[in-house]
Amino acid sequence: VFCASDRLDTACLIPPVGDRFYFREAMATGRFTVGTYAVGRRTGVPSFHMAMPYRNPAGETAGVVFVSIGLARLAADLDGPQWSLNRVMTVADRNGTILLRLPDGGRFVGKPFPEDIWRETARASAPGTIDVTSPLDGVRRIVGYIPPAVSPGGLYIGVGLGRAEAFGPLDSATMRGIVGIVVAAAAAMVLAWLFGRRLIARPVNRIIAVTRRWRDGDLSARTAMTGTAEFAQLGSAFDELADDLARAFAYKDVLLRELNHRIMNSLQTVSSLFKLQSRSVTDPEARQQFDLAVSRVNSMAMAYRRMHASDGIESVDFAAFLRELCQDLSQSMLPDGRECAVAADPLLLTPDQAMSLALVVNELVTNAIKHGGAEPAVFVTLAMAEGLCTLSVRNTTPLPPDFRIDGRNGFGMQMVGAMVRQLDGRLDHTAEGGACFTVSFRPKPPQAAAMDGHVDMRGGG
């Protein structure tokens, strides 16, 4: 016996190692084993061990031959000018403790490997690369690594290059080739240019052109790229994605049209039921209330129809809606073909604001016609100034002395007040030269205008 872990005499200067990981692992498996980070029990030096079991003549594992490698000495042997802030090497044990970090290894030995990077690399089943910013020094590098599952002894070994230097060897090799064989290099450059233009630049430009057309709303654009090359497969994947999107949008449009159709039918049904019910009502006041309800439902239906007049645009061209509504009310309530005078600035409203303002307009214009005398003259104005929308409805007949704008005069004005509050607006009235009601509020930007960057003014403005 030359040396044994249970002897501490002049013939054996090694402290007990029976509890060390590398010893137990080598004895249990009978294979070469690499240990983990440790501090020498006799030397106090950070180190790690390699162990190889040996067998007796009977073929049984009889003991372990091991070597203790000081980490400071290992760093000194491997250090050199090849390591810098942009070129680093890291070795860690299977537990994620750093054994070696060059350059400036003394700062990191014995410290835990960055947790996020360790989780990603430690469970890898094959060597790989990772583009990462190191939490140790804040430098972004491309790291090639061998994970513990592949490396002998369960070591993690990684070499990181700064992104700016990652392709330095390739550039140097290219320059050496140009210097060595000038004519061949020139021919190679021409061939490389042609190759890159045909196999890289063209497919990349085609894919970029198609994605720009998609961004502009043309989902019919396709790369039409086929083949087994990587860019051809990428272009084919883009085309499949476009096909899926086109089918999804088509299905969405079908659902929207069906929903729109059902809602319009529902509103028409409600309007028809009110009309039928009014025919059986003998009380003039009650019949008038039914007629007012029909008018309100019709104004909501008209606003909803305007909201879906443009394909998929979630906004209402309220200037066009205002003209259409006033024309319908004029035809049904004013005598001798008279019409309300309408002056409207261009305005897009969100659906919720359009619905509320539609009910307000219907109520105010109806009241202006009803209480405008034998020959009513009604003036409707819609104006925008400094982000504030102002709607005015005026006739030439004074308001009754007991009129109250707080809605105590009837349900209609109560509804107007409620709708104005939904708009976060203000309702005012004047009686000079006739009754004039004014609603002011700040419109919300419609979703379509915010997305498209333009306003669709079809239908008037």
Side-chain angles (χ1 to χ4, degrees):
V1 178
F2 291 97
C3 182
S5 62
D6 59 349
R7 292 177 58 184
L8 292 175
D9 51 30
T10 57
C12 180
L13 302 179
I14 302 176
V17 296
D19 62 334
R20 292 289 198 181
F21 167 79
Y22 60 86
F23 181 86
R24 291 184 285 106
E25 185 77 5
M27 291 293 292
T29 64
R31 296 192 299 269
F32 171 78
T33 300
V34 176
T36 58
Y37 173 83
V39 177
R41 287 173 172 166
R42 184 173 297 277
T43 65
V45 174
S47 59
F48 78 106
H49 302 80
M50 295 182 179
M52 175 65 78
Y54 63 86
R55 302 181 184 277
N56 59 22
E60 301 170 338
T61 302
V64 170
V65 177
F66 69 91
V67 58
S68 176
I69 302 177
L71 297 178
R73 175 60 182 271
L74 180 63
D77 289 345
L78 296 179
D79 200 2
Q82 69 270 30
W83 307 117
S84 65
L85 188 63
N86 287 317
R87 299 181 184 183
V88 300
M89 179 174 69
T90 305
V91 179
D93 65 19
R94 68 187 65 202
N95 296 326
T97 301
I98 296 177
L99 303 177
L100 177 67
R101 177 66 150 69
L102 296 176
D104 197 15
R107 292 174 52 198
F108 307 106
V109 172
K111 294 184 178 181
F113 202 87
E115 184 176 354
D116 293 341
I117 306 176
W118 182 255
R119 281 200 304 267
E120 183 171 352
T121 58
R123 59 171 177 260
S125 59
T129 59
I130 182 174
D131 187 349
V132 66
T133 300
S134 172
L136 298 177
D137 53 21
V139 178
R140 186 174 182 181
R141 303 182 182 93
I142 298 174
V143 179
Y145 65 90
I146 300 176
V150 177
S151 175
L155 292 178
Y156 165 92
I157 304 173
V159 175
L161 297 179
R163 291 178 63 89
E165 298 187 9
F167 300 100
L170 294 177
D171 295 338
S172 299
T174 302
M175 292 302 297
R176 287 194 300 269
I178 292 175
V179 172
I181 312 172
V182 175
V183 175
M189 289 177 63
V190 173
L191 291 175
W193 180 80
L194 294 175
F195 178 82
R197 180 175 177 82
R198 179 175 179 83
L199 298 184
I200 298 178
R202 286 183 181 178
V204 168
N205 290 335
R206 184 183 299 182
I207 292 174
I208 291 175
V210 169
T211 54
R212 286 175 176 170
R213 290 175 62 184
W214 290 356
R215 182 190 62 186
D216 294 336
D218 181 10
L219 292 182
S220 65
R222 299 292 185 272
T223 66
M225 297 170 63
T226 58
T228 58
E230 287 80 359
F231 282 108
Q233 295 181 30
L234 179 61
S236 178
F238 268 69
D239 291 347
E240 292 174 3
L241 174 63
D243 292 339
D244 292 340
L245 288 175
R247 285 190 292 269
F249 278 116
Y251 183 62
K252 181 213 67 170
D253 290 340
V254 171
L255 292 180
L256 285 177
R257 286 195 296 269
E258 179 64 21
L259 178 63
N260 183 30
H261 178 71
R262 293 189 179 186
I263 293 178
M264 291 299 298
N265 284 346
S266 299
L267 292 174
Q268 292 295 334
T269 300
V270 172
S271 178
S272 299
L273 289 174
F274 279 143
K275 289 181 180 179
L276 288 174
Q277 187 66 36
S278 67
R279 296 175 183 175
S280 61
V281 175
T282 57
D283 182 12
E285 180 63 25
R287 175 174 293 184
Q288 183 181 20
Q289 294 301 321
F290 271 106
D291 291 341
L292 289 174
V294 170
S295 176
R296 292 160 184 158
V297 172
N298 287 339
S299 66
M300 293 176 62
M302 187 182 302
Y304 189 83
R305 184 175 69 251
R306 279 285 173 181
M307 183 175 65
H308 293 275
S310 298
D311 295 336
I313 296 179
E314 293 299 324
S315 60
V316 179
D317 181 356
F318 203 80
F321 164 79
L322 184 63
R323 291 186 176 87
E324 185 177 354
L325 176 61
C326 290
Q327 184 178 14
D328 286 353
L329 293 174
S330 298
Q331 291 175 354
S332 61
M333 300 183 68
L334 286 176
D336 303 329
R338 293 190 179 189
E339 292 186 358
C340 298
V342 180
D345 290 343
L347 176 64
L348 285 182
L349 290 181
T350 58
D352 55 343
Q353 286 191 318
M355 287 295 182
S356 299
L357 193 58
L359 291 173
V360 171
V361 172
N362 182 83
E363 195 68 27
L364 293 180
V365 173
T366 300
N367 288 343
I369 295 175
K370 284 173 52 181
H371 303 291
E375 297 182 355
V378 179
F379 305 90
V380 182
T381 303
L382 180 68
M384 281 292 301
E386 299 180 353
L388 186 68
C389 177
T390 303
L391 171 74
S392 297
V393 178
R394 178 173 59 88
N395 65 9
T396 57
T397 302
L399 290 170
D402 60 345
F403 177 79
R404 298 284 298 276
I405 198 172
D406 57 8
R408 297 179 185 178
N409 298 79
F411 171 77
M413 289 306 299
Q414 292 179 17
M415 183 189 67
V416 169
M419 294 300 102
V420 172
R421 286 191 294 273
Q422 286 189 11
L423 292 169
D424 291 330
R426 176 178 177 178
L427 175 63
D428 298 301
H429 77 289
T430 60
E432 297 179 2
C436 180
F437 291 86
T438 302
V439 177
S440 55
F441 67 99
R442 293 192 177 277
K444 302 175 184 177
Q447 179 182 1
M451 292 176 60
D452 297 339
H454 70 277
V455 175
D456 182 1
M457 294 311 303
R458 290 175 293 177

